Amino acid sequence: MSEAVKSTRFAWLRSIEPNAVLVKDLRQAARNWSVTGAVLLMMAIFFIVSLGFLLTDEMAGRGNYLGAQLFGSIAGVMMAVTFIFLPIYVGIRSIAERASASADLLYITTMSPARIIAGKFLSGAALVGIFFTAALPFMVFSYLLRGIDLPTILLTVGYLYVLNCLLLLAAMMLASMGIHFIFKILIALFVGLPLIIYTMVGALGTAMIAGFGGALSGGRFLAEALPLILTILLNIGLIAGLLFFLCVSFITPRTANREFPLRVYCAVMWAVIGLEAGVWALVEDEWEIFGYGFGVFCGLLAALGIFYAIGQEDHLSVRVRRDIPRNPLRRAVAFLFFNGALGGLILSCLFSFGGLLLIFAGLEAWPMLTGSSSSTHDWSEFCSGFIMLGLYLIAHALMSLWIHRTWLPTRSPMWPRLFFLVSIGIPYCATFVIYYLFTQDFLEDGTIPGIMLNSFYAMADGDEESVYAHLIAALVLTVGALVLNAKWIFERLKDFKPYERPATPVAPTASVKAAPSATHEGPTPPKLD
Amino acid sequence: MKIRVQNLRREFGKTIAVNSVSFEFESGQIYAFVGPNGAGKTTTMRIMATLDEPNAGDVFMDDLSVVEYPEKARHLIGFVPDELKPYWDTTVHEYLDFFARAYGLRGSQRTEAVASVEEFTNVAGIREKTLRSLSKGMKQRVSLGRALVADPQVLILDEPAAGLDPRARVELRELLTLLAKQGKAILISSHILTELTEICDGVVIIEQGNLLESGNIDDVMAKRAPRRTYALRVLGEPQDLLRQLLQTAHVENPRVAGAELHFEVEGGEDEAFGVLNTLIANGHRVVEFRQTKANLEDIFMNVTTGGVQ
């Protein structure tokens, strides 16, 4: 092949433009002393550990397992550095950039928020790759010492890499949130750090103890390990996607239709998880995998969705209205996916109750599909518990919105989230304390209808009467909350209409007004310029 | 290109930051956007730069609505904030290159654009320095370079001269004049009004969110500063002349300004000629007599009340 032909064939490679944020972040990382220092420190530790293994009597004592032992130590050190350092590094940089005016400058470029987040994520993933590459010579060395096979090394490294990327996304999501940085630090300390430690311990346990290498040997791989690995990868991918779209939603300006990609993704995720649970149920011939697996997922998604949705603004900007369809049917669907608390609330309810409906439809169809009986369990208990919790959540969400609108309308739209948590937690704690004060005993009786957290006792005991009492209470609360919010719901539905451009633009005039008097009456507002 | 700000209104809770503000300017013009602190300048500029959305009104770039199509408008706008918050560990060249990439410039087009703005803003010599190590003036040059890298047709500068030393201010002024000559429409807010007078074609004055005045600077001056101001230089002590001027008909507010005397003349050019004639007739050795442009600062003080919200 001539040079000219080769050059033409690969010419398209030169036209590939890497993500701008990826390039910037990698340049910054290359110049940052903390990144270079962490890599050097990690390599120094690897060297000392490897040397220690060779110089001490470990080599004689462990014989054929020395390679595995050394690999375990190297993987442990690598995880300790990359799982902790990199999420902190990426998170802090993202917080700093988001907090400064530079973020504004970036937003007025033609880069979309999705590309910004993708660039940040890719640069983080590249940094993980650099750290992992630094560990590569030592891993090869551990392989040469024997006691561990190549597939185990590759799968473990791949698994750790994927988890590390997931942690990066979680750090980016926290950094992107529109909350005060003190809250971000608190969340990082009390949620992020335990999550990292748990992931590290879990990862080491899964990778090393389960022994991927063993699963790869013989005919077990295709039948057992591969479906499991694919399922784990799919679920990690889905979680990563959710975190990614949350980041995108958090950094997208409020005037844009920031909820749309996130809600569409949630709908896709809901469908994929349902499909995945269905396939596993069919493969394993166990209806419960679908019923419980999908049911629990739907419940979780709905709970998180409701919590997230009630923190949304009602105001629809011109940019959002611009995209509202004129067709009534399409508009109804758009209402669920566009910005706004009510749409998100309804969509979350559809995820949960739609899931429940699918579970019961599947329950009926299962014998026809498989020829075996669908389930030996009594699903009515699951059903009543599911509906009860769903109704409680809706009632608390609507009440929180009503409190915010009625008492603190000028406060941030995120306040209902706080009311939501408080309205669930306070009644439970209060009754718990009062019960203890009067009876000198702990509250374990599940018959205090109207208190959501109390209903878990009833479900755990399998006390049918108590569950029904809670169900009725939840229903009454929901109806009450709906009545209180009826006007708001009606207004939101009525307000969701396409943008009507002003008929004729008024010719601009230098509308000279008399200078206002120096004694400006009214409230003293914040300094704006 | 014509930029039309039309009945813009922005509320923050109960505060009306911008109240039905309308003005317009076009390519090749520099418009000064002046007003006291809290007048609503930054809010208006942020709306124009697609960083905020008004409660009512719109901004049009020709026929393109900035509120409705901010994605398209961003191709046309360059925004320079009052201060460049540098990215960590980034050199001048990397910073400009990053924004060129962010604006979608590719390959040689990007290389040329970055080299061009580096040369134009005179930062080519410091392109390998990190942003943190730059002086305020140099940072503002880089900031201007960033805004220019995608060759926008409209430049919005929010207090770009704040904190700059006199030399840097003069250089910034020269750059802006050049840009206007290249056909860019420029809106600049600044507190250093005397400097704006020399480069601006028009002025927009707001206070407490309300538009007080807008239009061509000469028209505004004619309207808001009806007396003509003259500068006079004579051989000898100006104090002697000052006494004479105080007694001369049509002369108002005479004052010594360095080696010159400044005074206002009530009436037109006939009255000004009369004043000059009287001075010469009385034996004063006049070597310079010229009409000075009214200062934007004078108009600003004349128009605004100093009220804040």
Side-chain angles (χ1 to χ4, degrees):
Chain A
M1 196 183 296
S2 72
E3 282 301 312
V5 173
K6 267 188 199 170
S7 164
T8 321
R9 179 168 292 179
F10 296 106
W12 63 273
L13 283 171
R14 284 202 294 272
S15 65
I16 294 175
E17 283 284 340
N19 186 302
V21 177
L22 166 68
V23 175
K24 175 191 75 82
D25 280 8
L26 287 181
R27 279 172 171 168
Q28 286 177 315
R31 214 172 252 119
N32 191 279
W33 62 267
S34 65
V35 176
T36 322
V39 173
L40 289 175
L41 179 71
M42 193 179 74
M43 289 179 78
I45 296 172
F46 288 158
F47 184 73
I48 292 165
V49 168
S50 305
L51 208 63
F53 263 85
L54 291 176
L55 294 182
T56 57
D57 54 358
E58 294 289 319
M59 188 178 239
R62 302 197 183 181
N64 286 341
Y65 294 103
L66 188 60
Q69 296 285 341
L70 181 59
F71 178 76
S73 304
I74 288 170
V77 172
M78 189 175 75
M79 267 203 311
V81 175
T82 57
F83 277 36
I84 294 173
F85 171 73
L86 285 177
I88 291 174
Y89 172 79
V90 171
I92 288 176
R93 292 206 91 131
S94 304
I95 287 176
E97 281 181 19
R98 183 157 160 69
S100 79
S102 307
D104 276 353
L105 300 179
L106 194 53
Y107 293 154
I108 54 170
T109 65
T110 49
M111 272 195 106
S112 67
R115 274 183 68 80
I116 294 171
I117 293 296
K120 283 237 157 278
F121 171 67
L122 288 174
S123 68
L127 282 181
V128 177
I130 288 168
F131 275 77
F132 276 40
T133 315
L136 207 63
F138 299 93
M139 289 179 178
V140 172
F141 181 59
S142 69
Y143 172 67
L144 294 175
L145 289 178
R146 292 189 297 178
I148 189 160
D149 54 15
L150 208 54
T152 302
I153 292 177
L154 289 176
L155 275 174
T156 307
V157 169
Y159 179 62
L160 294 181
Y161 183 82
V162 169
L163 284 180
N164 210 336
C165 290
L166 205 60
L167 285 177
L168 286 182
L169 272 170
M172 281 166 58
M173 189 202 71
L174 181 61
S176 309
M177 279 181 179
I179 54 174
H180 198 274
F181 82 96
I182 302 264
F183 288 115
K184 290 182 185 178
I185 290 170
L186 289 176
I187 294 172
L189 282 177
F190 295 106
V191 181
L193 208 61
L195 180 75
I196 288 172
I197 292 167
Y198 179 78
T199 313
M200 275 167 63
V201 174
L204 256 188
T206 319
M208 300 301 295
I209 298 165
F212 283 140
L216 288 174
S217 62
R220 283 174 59 206
F221 180 67
L222 278 180
E224 293 176 19
L226 190 62
L228 199 65
I229 289 169
L230 288 178
T231 306
I232 290 171
L233 281 178
L234 175 67
N235 290 336
I236 287 177
L238 286 172
I239 295 169
L242 183 64
L243 292 173
F244 176 83
F245 280 102
L246 276 169
C247 290
V248 173
S249 172
F250 288 148
I251 70 156
T252 304
R254 286 178 181 184
T255 51
N257 196 359
R258 62 199 288 191
E259 293 310 306
F260 182 73
L262 179 66
R263 291 185 188 177
V264 169
Y265 179 79
C266 285
V268 171
M269 188 173 162
W270 179 83
V272 171
I273 293 279
L275 206 66
E276 181 194 322
V279 169
W280 270 103
L282 282 170
V283 169
E284 296 290 320
D285 197 20
E286 267 185 60
W287 162 251
E288 282 76 12
I289 293 176
F290 179 70
Y292 286 123
F294 190 47
V296 168
F297 167 75
C298 286
L300 270 175
L301 184 67
L304 291 173
I306 286 171
F307 179 73
Y308 185 77
I310 57 172
Q312 302 300 314
E313 269 180 283
D314 284 333
H315 169 73
L316 296 173
S317 67
V318 172
R319 288 170 71 185
V320 177
R321 287 187 190 282
R322 187 187 73 187
D323 295 335
I324 296 175
R326 295 192 178 272
N327 178 297
L329 193 65
R330 290 178 65 193
R331 200 191 306 176
V333 177
F335 182 76
L336 303 176
F337 291 91
F338 279 29
N339 289 1
L342 184 62
L345 209 57
I346 297 173
L347 187 68
S348 302
C349 294
L350 283 177
F351 285 147
S352 61
F353 294 113
L356 193 67
L357 211 66
L358 271 180
I359 289 168
F360 278 90
L363 197 65
E364 294 301 316
W366 186 260
M368 287 181 275
L369 284 170
T370 61
S372 57
S373 78
S374 54
S375 178
T376 51
H377 288 77
D378 181 9
W379 283 88
S380 63
E381 204 177 293
F382 177 82
C383 176
S384 50
F386 192 97
I387 294 172
M388 175 191 70
L389 287 175
L391 288 176
Y392 268 135
L393 287 174
I394 294 165
H396 282 286
L398 287 171
M399 290 298 282
S400 307
L401 286 167
W402 180 78
I403 291 168
H404 179 250
R405 269 199 330 279
T406 312
W407 307 108
L408 296 160
T410 54
R411 293 280 176 180
S412 159
M414 283 201 274
W415 276 74
R417 287 182 186 154
L418 181 69
F419 300 147
F420 180 74
L421 295 177
V422 168
S423 70
I424 290 174
I426 294 283
Y428 174 73
C429 293
T431 50
F432 196 91
V433 171
I434 291 165
Y435 189 87
Y436 183 79
L437 288 175
F438 280 95
T439 63
Q440 301 295 304
D441 203 359
F442 291 113
L443 178 69
E444 284 174 2
D445 187 0
T447 51
I448 307 181
I451 297 171
M452 184 184 153
L453 293 180
N454 189 259
S455 69
F456 287 103
Y457 292 131
M459 285 192 289
D461 292 345
D463 181 358
E464 215 168 277
E465 265 184 38
S466 298
V467 170
Y468 280 117
H470 271 290
L471 188 61
I472 290 164
L475 194 64
V476 170
L477 279 176
T478 308
V479 171
L482 277 170
V483 170
L484 284 175
N485 285 281
K487 193 180 165 204
W488 171 73
I489 292 170
F490 179 69
E491 279 172 358
R492 295 279 61 81
L493 292 170
K494 201 175 144 195
D495 186 51
F496 194 77
K497 56 188 177 194
Y499 176 61
E500 298 293 343
R501 196 172 290 111
T504 319
V506 183
T509 50
S511 52
V512 181
K513 292 178 183 173
S517 67
T519 49
H520 177 62
E521 288 178 6
T524 310
K527 187 181 160 189
L528 297 168
D529 271 346
Chain B
M1 172 173 283
K2 185 171 268 191
I3 293 88
R4 285 182 292 137
V5 174
Q6 208 167 278
N7 300 322
L8 217 56
R9 185 183 173 87
R10 181 70 172 103
E11 296 160 12
F12 295 103
K14 289 175 183 172
T15 308
I16 302 168
V18 179
N19 186 16
S20 197
V21 167
S22 301
F23 60 91
E24 64 176 49
F25 58 107
E26 58 189 34
S27 297
Q29 288 188 327
I30 302 178
Y31 256 61
F33 196 27
V34 295
N37 286 336
K41 299 188 298 289
T42 300
T43 306
T44 307
M45 287 182 142
R46 283 177 62 83
I47 292 170
M48 293 175 75
T50 76
L51 285 168
D52 197 1
E53 190 174 79
N55 295 88
D58 207 336
V59 178
F60 291 94
M61 311 251 158
D62 279 343
D63 290 328
L64 179 73
S65 159
V66 168
V67 175
E68 214 176 327
Y69 299 101
E71 308 89 353
K72 289 180 186 170
R74 279 174 200 150
H75 290 277
L76 306 170
I77 301 166
F79 180 63
V80 180
D82 57 344
E83 196 184 356
L84 175 76
K85 292 270 167 47
Y87 284 114
W88 291 351
D89 312 308
T90 305
T91 65
V92 170
H93 178 72
E94 285 170 358
Y95 183 76
L96 295 174
D97 179 74
F98 165 58
F99 276 97
R101 286 172 192 271
Y103 275 108
L105 300 181
R106 309 178 124 230
S108 58
Q109 190 191 10
R110 185 181 67 243
T111 316
E112 281 164 21
V114 172
S116 164
V117 292
E118 279 176 353
E119 194 185 335
F120 180 76
T121 54
N122 200 16
V123 295
I126 53 159
R127 70 203 289 267
E128 296 308 325
K129 279 195 172 183
T130 56
L131 290 173
R132 270 191 299 187
S133 66
L134 299 184
S135 66
K136 171 94 183 169
M138 278 300 164
K139 277 185 187 162
Q140 278 307 77
R141 281 172 175 274
V142 176
S143 188
L144 184 63
R146 180 199 49 73
L148 291 173
V149 81
D151 193 23
Q153 294 180 52
V154 183
L155 260 184
I156 298 166
L157 302 99
D158 190 8
E159 300 286 353
L164 295 189
D165 62 35
R167 172 176 283 276
R169 285 209 298 267
V170 170
E171 286 169 352
L172 182 70
R173 230 164 50 198
E174 285 168 359
L175 288 180
L176 293 179
T177 312
L178 270 175
L179 288 167
K181 279 181 185 160
Q182 286 174 12
K184 297 197 191 303
I186 300 171
L187 182 68
I188 175 171
S189 80
S190 177
H191 283 126
I192 306 159
L193 304 177
T194 44
E195 298 199 346
L196 287 178
T197 315
E198 293 177 32
I199 59 165
C200 288
D201 303 291
V203 62
V204 178
I205 304 173
I206 63 167
E207 189 177 37
Q208 295 180 358
N210 293 306
L211 180 74
L212 301 182
E213 193 64 78
S214 84
N216 183 291
I217 205 156
D218 292 331
D219 296 344
V220 172
M221 282 179 177
K223 194 162 140 193
R224 292 290 181 167
R227 286 176 186 159
R228 288 157 190 252
T229 306
Y230 289 87
L232 182 71
R233 195 159 64 84
V234 290
L235 292 178
E237 274 300 306
Q239 291 295 342
D240 300 338
L241 186 61
L242 186 64
R243 275 191 291 276
Q244 168 79 52
L245 280 172
L246 283 166
Q247 295 160 9
T248 310
H250 305 297
V251 171
E252 293 279 336
N253 194 19
R255 62 224 179 248
V256 177
E260 291 183 338
L261 277 154
H262 288 187
F263 58 93
E264 287 146 21
V265 173
E266 238 177 12
E269 288 184 338
D270 286 342
E271 283 75 15
F273 175 73
V275 170
L276 178 64
N277 214 9
T278 311
L279 293 174
I280 292 169
N282 285 327
H284 292 285
R285 293 182 291 169
V286 178
V287 290
E288 192 177 349
F289 184 82
R290 68 175 198 279
Q291 188 181 341
T292 60
K293 228 177 172 181
N295 198 315
L296 199 55
E297 204 164 75
D298 300 334
I299 298 172
F300 179 74
M301 295 306 289
N302 209 2
V303 172
T304 58
T305 61
V308 290
Q309 38 174 1

